[in-house]
Amino acid sequence: QVQLVESGGGMVQTGGSLRLSCAASGYYNDYAMGWFRQAPGKEREFVAAISRSGDLTYYADSVKGRFTISRDNAKNTVYLQMNSLKPDDTAVYYCAAVGADYAKPLFSSWGQGTQVTVSS
């Protein structure tokens, strides 16, 4: 299994940018990785995913063109560059290992997440 620690969240104004990081340990390179988010009162939702090698990426329609997922396998780290942020992007962001269904996490446990708040 993979242990994950998210960081990089904060408070920004509409149109601003943030870069989230997810430091992984364990069998990190065995997995595709994804970012998910959960806003207050809402279900956790898929944001983006990246294949094990990093050559394939997938995005939710709501973030396509604004967010970019990447990974550095030498550093066991996954990133989420978020540009043109909107108030609707306000949520706690989590990373997770994903499988063939890249929009669903492989394991039931989550890290502590990192809070992103976008003010209007």
Side-chain angles (χ1 to χ4, degrees), residues 47-48 57-68 86 102:
V47 175
T57 57
Y58 310 90
Y59 297 94
D61 288 342
S62 59
V63 306
K64 203 170 292 183
R66 300 187 298 122
F67 290 11
T68 302
K86 306 174 182 179
Y102 55 84

Side-chain angles (χ1 to χ4, degrees), residues 28 31-35 46-59 68-73 77-79 96-99 102:
Y28 164 83
Y31 299 106
M33 297 295 293
W35 282 96
F46 167 76
V47 175
I50 188 166
S51 61
R52 287 184 297 173
S53 64
D55 59 341
L56 296 174
T57 57
Y58 310 90
Y59 297 94
T68 302
I69 188 171
S70 61
R71 68 190 293 166
D72 184 337
N73 288 344
T77 302
V78 182
Y79 303 98
V98 298
Y102 55 84

